[in-house]
Amino acid sequence: MASCKASNGDTWEIYQTSGQWHWRCKAPNGKIVGASTEGYNNRSDCIANAQRNGMTCNPV
């Protein structure tokens, strides 16, 4: 799993399950406040979707 912390304190995670890439965003209190609604075959497509949904940091 790759993750990064945005300037507002949210943590963005990029992870893989069953060969599909997903993203989720967690608030500083640990609650999930956003997540991908589908799996992506390519990690880069998943990251691009997360960026369209507000991710401003770079997951490592």
Side-chain angles (χ1 to χ4, degrees):
M1 177 178 8
S3 66
C4 62
K5 189 168 288 258
S7 59
N8 67 356
D10 289 349
T11 300
W12 290 81
E13 299 175 339
I14 306 295
Y15 61 97
Q16 190 175 28
T17 60
S18 302
Q20 296 283 300
W21 290 95
H22 302 271
W23 64 264
R24 67 180 162 223
C25 178
K26 290 184 176 181
N29 65 5
K31 293 192 180 208
I32 296 173
V33 294
S36 56
T37 58
E38 62 181 286
Y40 297 89
N41 291 325
N42 300 309
R43 184 179 189 266
S44 59
D45 292 337
C46 181
I47 290 173
N49 182 263
Q51 290 171 333
R52 285 191 298 273
N53 282 277
M55 183 176 76
T56 57
C57 55
N58 186 22
V60 182

